[in-house]
């Protein structure tokens, strides 16, 4: 019902109906509505039909467009049984990640290591969908991001693992004042661990994390990204296309 209400609101059916209803007088704004006959009501309903027809045509066109996109499995989805994505509010923005994660441990470096190597889910296998490396674990990914031999072994196909020291040696990292823990967290985020961090922030699949919020790691990622954003310029011509799978788009999109 709510989806239908939102769709009708988008079509401005309520406003259209209000404009078609007869006006009232000084004593009552609804006197004209009360005085309507059955025939007048029938005429008004017929006048509303074009609004509905136009809206249904738009729905059918959108369905056809999505069906075409479904030939590309990045955009393919079955809306049945999927959770519905939502837009966050401006209050969510100002509340920041503290509202979701709480505050990190004061010893951030150690906390990041513990989140990947000493938590209940640290040795649980998961398989990233966009890597051909097979199953991995949080503790294994921490080794890959910190040990040169493991990083080299994991750098196959399209994956290239950068150790924190390599990131810190970059000019942009120097200008941004990136800390080692931030470089480590950014390296982890560019690998399979992004799935676990996104699960925390999106609230989907948290059960598999066994209570691990990766609080310190996500804080370090956010801090590193914000620092780099201050010293990085995005070309005006740059376009970024973002696909979101396994969610139904909200009606407000």
């Amino acid at each position: 019902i709510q989806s239908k209400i939102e769709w009708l609101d988008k079509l401005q059916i309520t406003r259209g109906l209000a404009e078609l209803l007869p006006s009232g007088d000084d004593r009552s704004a609804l006197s004209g509505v009360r005085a309507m006959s059955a025939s007048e009501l029938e005429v008004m309903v017929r006048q509303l039909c074009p609004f509905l027809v136009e809206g249904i045509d738009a729905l059918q066109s959108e369905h056809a467009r999505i069906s075409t996109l479904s030939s590309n499995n990045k955009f393919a989805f079955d809306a049945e049984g999927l959770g519905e994505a939502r837009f966050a509010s401006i209050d969510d923005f100002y509340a920041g990640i503290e509202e979701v994660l709480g505050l990190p441990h004061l010893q951030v470096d150690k906390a990041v290591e513990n989140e990947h190597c000493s938590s209940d889910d640290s040795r649980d296998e998961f398989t990233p969908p966009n890597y051909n490396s097979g199953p991995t674990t949080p503790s294994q990914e921490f080794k890959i991001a910190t040990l040169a031999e493991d990083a080299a072994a994991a750098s196959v196909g399209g994956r290239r693992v950068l150790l924190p020291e390599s990131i810190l040696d970059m000019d942009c990292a120097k200008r941004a004042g990136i800390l080692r823990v931030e470089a480590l967290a950014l390296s982890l985020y560019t690998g399979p661990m992004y799935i676990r961090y996104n699960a925390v922030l999106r609230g989907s699949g948290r059960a598999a994390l066994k209570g691990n919020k990766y609080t310190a790691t996500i804080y370090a990622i956010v801090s590193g990204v914000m620092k780099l954003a201050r010293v990085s310029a995005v070309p005006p011509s740059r376009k970024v296309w973002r696909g979101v799978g396994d969610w139904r788009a909200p009606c407000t999109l």
Side-chain angles (χ1 to χ4, degrees), residues 22-187:
S23 303
D25 53 35
D26 294 338
R27 289 176 296 177
S28 174
L30 297 177
S31 60
V33 178
R34 284 197 301 269
M36 287 183 71
S37 64
S39 59
E40 288 174 327
L41 182 60
E42 185 177 343
V43 170
M44 187 194 67
V45 170
R46 284 201 299 268
Q47 289 176 310
L48 277 177
C49 285
F51 290 95
L52 289 171
V53 171
E54 183 179 345
I56 292 171
D57 284 344
L59 279 178
Q60 292 172 341
S61 297
E62 178 63 11
H63 178 74
R65 185 184 71 84
I66 292 173
S67 297
T68 301
L69 288 175
S70 65
S71 59
N72 178 343
N73 63 8
K74 184 173 181 66
F75 296 94
F77 67 93
D78 176 5
E80 293 298 325
L82 295 183
E84 182 170 314
R86 70 177 183 88
F87 287 110
S89 67
I90 192 66
D91 291 334
D92 294 319
F93 175 80
Y94 285 116
I97 57 175
E98 181 182 340
E99 188 73 16
V100 178
L101 304 176
L103 293 173
H105 194 279
L106 291 177
Q107 295 181 319
V108 180
D109 300 71
K110 188 62 178 176
V112 170
E113 181 178 355
N114 289 339
E115 288 168 359
H116 293 81
C117 302
S118 304
S119 297
D120 290 341
D121 69 325
S122 293
R123 287 165 180 77
D124 291 350
E125 288 190 343
F126 66 98
T127 302
N130 52 351
Y131 287 88
N132 297 320
S133 56
T136 186
T137 68
S139 59
Q140 182 178 339
E141 288 303 313
F142 187 85
K143 289 176 62 179
I144 289 172
T146 54
L147 302 177
E149 185 176 345
D150 293 80
S155 296
V156 295
R159 185 180 184 187
R160 180 189 173 209
V161 181
L162 292 178
L163 294 175
E165 290 70 25
S166 298
I167 295 174
L168 292 173
D169 197 43
M170 295 179 176
D171 180 62
C172 61
K174 292 177 180 178
R175 288 187 288 115
I178 295 293
L179 302 176
R180 185 186 183 280
V181 68
E182 293 166 340
L184 170 59
L186 290 170
S187 180

Side-chain angles (χ1 to χ4, degrees), residues 197-214:
Y197 310 148
N198 285 351
V200 174
L201 297 173
R202 295 175 180 173
S204 172
R206 286 185 183 175
L209 308 183
K210 298 179 178 178
N212 189 357
K213 289 187 177 182
Y214 293 94

